[in-house]
Amino acid sequence: MTQQTAATLHQFINGHWIPGNADELVSTSAVDPEIRVASGKAADTAQVTEAFIAAEGARASWSSTPMAERAGYLLRASAYLNEHAEQFGAELATEEGKTLPEGIGEVRRSGQILSYYAAESERTSGSTFHSPRVGEQILVSHKPLGVVGIVTPFNFPIAIPAWKIAPALIFGNTVVFKPASLVPLLATRLVQAFEHAGLPEGVLNLIIGPGSLGDSIMDQPQLAGLSFTGSTGVGRKLCALGAARGIPVQAEMGGKNASVVLADADLDLASEQVLFGAFRSSGQKCTATSRLILDESIADEFLRKLILRLSQWVTGDPLDPAVHMGPVVDIRSANAVRNGIKKAKSEGAEVIFEGLAPKCATYIAPTILGISNDVRGRENTAWREEFFAPVLTLLRVSGSEEAFAAAEDSEFGLSLALFTRDLATAIDAQQRLDVGILHVNSESAGADPHVPFGGAKASAYGPKEQGAAAREFYTHTTTVYLRG
C-alpha cells in the first residue's frame, strides 16, 4: 500500500473548520496501523454544545427555506461526490478496508442518495382527507423535528451518513453529525461536499471524537431527535436516554442474518450469492450473511460449490484490483473475531473451511464453521453472536419447516436470504419470517435508497430509514381542520 500524506482532521461548527479541544485522534490504514490516514484533535463536550447552539441558530431560517432551494444544496453536494468518487473511494478503501471498487461504489451511492432526496421537492408534501362536516377540509402537513443528532458506524463511512443527513436536511432539520472515530476522513469528505454546495452556516455540523460524546449529544437541550446506527447495546442505551427525555430515536442495530438454501434451490446461483453476502466487505455489513442454513439433501453439493468459489477468493490489499476482500477495520476488531472463533470451537464448532489471507494483524481469512442441530450446538457463540467479519456458521436441517425455525432462532431480525424455486415457499417465508428485509434468490446484503430499510426484533427501534419511510422520523405531522 502506497504511503500518502495524512489529512488533517477538524471539527465543522457553524460553517467553520476548527481544531478539536480534546485528545489527539488518529485514523490509520486498515492494512497497516503504522500508516496515518488522517489526524487531529477530538472534540470535547464544550464543542458539542457549541455545535448544537449553531444548529439551533440556523434552524428557523433553514426550515423556512423552500424545499426546492434545499434540494439544490443536495444536488450540488451529490455532483461534488461523483466528481471526486475515485479519490474518496481510495481513501475509504485505505481507511476502512473494503476494496477499491466497493469504496468508489459507496461514494457514488452516497451521491445517488443525495439526488434521491433532492427530488422530495417534487413529491407529495402532505395529504387531504374528506371531512364528515359540510364546508370543511382536513389537511395533514409535515414539519421538521428541529435539531437532529446523527451517529454513524465505521462500516459504511459515507453512505450511512448520507442516507441519514440527506432526509434530515431536505425535510428542514438542522444536523449535528458524529461519525465513528475509526473512519473520520470520509465523514469529513461528505461535509466538505455540503460546504462546497454552499450550505448555510450552522445547518450541518460535524463533531469528531470518541463514542462517549454520544452521551453529551443526548444531554443537549436543543436535541429534537436522534438517528443512530451501531451496536445493539449502545443503541438500546441511547433509546432509553431518548425515552427519558421524550425525544424520538431511530436506531438500526445488530444482526445475525441467515441465508436459507432449500432442496429445490439453484445451487450455482445460491453459492454465488451466499459468497457475496457473507464475504464482500470482509463481512462488515449489518446485512451480511453470518448464518447458513442448508437442507441436508443438497448440503454437500452446495458446500462443494461454495468452497470451490472461496478457494479462488483473494484476500489482500484492498487497493489491489486483483483482490476480492480486504482486512477488517482494525486490530481490535480482528482480535475479537479470532477470540470469537476460538470460543466457538471450544463450544463444539467445527472448522469446515479456512481460506488464505496475508499474515498481518488485521486480516481474517474467509472461514466457515459448522455446528450441530442439538441444543448445545444452537447455543454456540458462532450461531448467536454477531462477529461482523468474514465468518459463516453452517447448520444442516431437513425441510423448509426446520429451516424456517432455525432462521427465526435469533434475537435479531434484520435481513434474510431465501433460495428456492417455489413461489408458494417464498410467499410463506414472507408471511412467517420476522425480518425487516427478505431477499429471495439474492444475497442478504444490499439496500436501495427508494425503499424502507431496517430490521425487526432486536435489530431496530423506531421508524425505518430511507425511501418515503424517512419522512416518518424526520418530521412530525400537523392535522389541520380547515373551514372557510
Side-chain angles (χ1 to χ4, degrees):
M1 178 170 287
T2 303
Q3 176 81 51
Q4 297 177 342
T5 303
T8 301
L9 298 172
H10 284 110
Q11 317 301 319
F12 189 71
I13 300 175
N14 203 27
H16 301 282
W17 294 99
I18 60 175
N21 291 336
D23 297 336
E24 184 181 27
L25 177 67
V26 177
S27 171
T28 63
S29 161
V31 171
D32 184 353
E34 297 300 316
I35 298 177
R36 287 191 173 202
V37 175
S39 62
K41 295 283 189 179
D44 62 7
T45 56
Q47 289 179 307
V48 174
T49 298
E50 186 180 348
F52 272 91
I53 291 172
E56 176 63 26
R59 179 181 58 81
S61 174
W62 181 246
S63 65
S64 63
T65 299
M67 186 177 278
E69 188 175 336
R70 297 198 295 260
Y73 294 109
L74 269 65
L75 288 173
R76 290 191 292 275
S78 173
Y80 183 88
L81 292 177
N82 284 313
E83 181 183 349
H84 294 83
E86 292 192 7
Q87 174 198 338
F88 295 169
E91 291 173 340
L92 195 161
T94 302
E95 185 178 45
E96 191 270 346
K98 60 179 51 132
T99 64
L100 181 58
E102 289 175 313
I104 294 172
E106 181 177 335
V107 176
R108 294 195 187 282
R109 173 53 67 92
S110 302
Q112 179 191 4
I113 291 165
L114 300 190
S115 296
Y116 170 82
Y117 281 106
E120 281 295 327
S121 63
E122 300 171 353
R123 299 186 183 114
T124 303
S125 64
S127 307
T128 302
F129 293 84
H130 295 290
S131 172
R133 291 165 291 278
V134 174
E136 183 180 74
Q137 283 188 322
I138 303 175
L139 311 177
V140 176
S141 63
H142 293 262
K143 297 181 179 179
L145 292 179
V147 179
V148 174
I150 288 176
V151 179
T152 59
F154 76 83
N155 59 321
F156 284 90
I158 194 166
I160 290 178
W163 82 44
K164 294 176 184 291
I165 291 172
L169 294 181
I170 198 65
F171 291 123
N173 302 278
T174 55
V175 171
V176 176
F177 164 39
K178 186 211 164 303
S181 57
L182 280 173
V183 288
L185 180 56
L186 269 294
T188 296
R189 297 307 189 209
L190 178 60
V191 174
Q192 286 173 343
F194 281 105
E195 180 190 29
H196 177 81
L199 196 69
E201 294 180 358
V203 172
L204 174 61
N205 304 272
L206 172 67
I207 293 296
I208 301 172
S212 58
L213 289 182
D215 292 339
S216 181
I217 289 173
M218 294 303 298
D219 289 339
Q220 301 303 314
Q222 302 90 350
L223 181 68
L226 179 80
S227 182
F228 167 84
T229 298
S231 71
T232 299
V234 174
R236 286 177 170 173
K237 176 185 176 182
L238 294 175
C239 290
L241 291 172
R245 287 190 52 186
I247 294 172
V249 175
Q250 175 189 68
E252 197 271 287
M253 299 180 283
K256 191 66 180 174
N257 311 299
S259 283
V260 176
V261 185
L262 298 181
D264 66 336
D266 179 334
L267 298 188
D268 288 322
L269 171 68
S271 60
E272 174 195 63
Q273 294 297 305
V274 169
L275 173 73
F276 293 160
F279 300 108
R280 276 180 171 169
S281 298
S282 304
Q284 295 180 132
K285 296 180 179 180
C286 54
T287 51
T289 296
S290 57
R291 294 185 297 151
L292 175 60
I293 299 167
L294 297 180
D295 190 281
E296 181 66 54
S297 64
I298 51 86
D300 289 339
E301 183 181 358
F302 177 90
L303 279 174
R304 181 181 61 79
K305 292 177 180 292
L306 177 59
I307 289 172
L308 178 62
R309 291 178 183 274
L310 269 179
S311 65
Q312 301 166 354
W313 192 251
V314 180
T315 302
D317 184 343
L319 297 181
D320 184 339
V323 161
H324 299 103
M325 188 180 84
V328 296
V329 68
D330 66 354
I331 292 175
R332 180 180 177 182
S333 299
N335 287 339
V337 175
R338 293 186 185 99
N339 289 335
I341 293 173
K342 182 178 179 180
K343 183 179 180 185
K345 290 166 63 177
S346 73
E347 295 168 344
E350 173 191 4
V351 177
I352 294 174
F353 174 84
E354 184 175 9
L356 299 176
K359 301 299 183 182
C360 299
T362 53
Y363 283 99
I364 301 293
T367 302
I368 302 175
L369 302 176
I371 62 168
S372 64
N373 204 11
D374 59 21
V375 173
R376 184 171 182 270
R378 294 277 281 274
E379 291 306 316
N380 192 285
T381 296
W383 181 258
R384 294 291 173 194
E385 296 182 10
E386 185 178 27
F387 283 0
F388 222 60
V391 180
L392 187 59
T393 302
L394 165 67
L395 180 72
R396 295 173 182 243
V397 297
S398 179
S400 61
E401 287 293 324
E402 199 172 306
F404 288 175
E408 280 287 275
D409 184 26
S410 173
E411 66 172 316
F412 301 111
L414 179 52
S415 182
L416 185 141
L418 171 67
F419 295 90
T420 179
R421 289 188 172 101
D422 185 65
L423 178 60
T425 301
I427 292 172
D428 187 36
Q430 184 271 329
Q431 294 173 339
R432 292 174 54 184
L433 299 178
D434 193 12
V435 292
I437 304 164
L438 175 64
H439 291 263
V440 179
N441 296 322
S442 62
E443 62 170 297
S444 64
D448 289 308
H450 62 293
V451 293
F453 175 86
K457 300 192 287 189
S459 290
Y461 180 89
K464 295 288 193 291
E465 300 190 88
Q466 302 203 78
R471 189 169 69 173
E472 296 178 22
F473 177 72
Y474 289 105
T475 69
H476 67 83
T477 59
T478 296
T479 302
V480 181
Y481 293 85
L482 183 63
R483 182 177 296 181

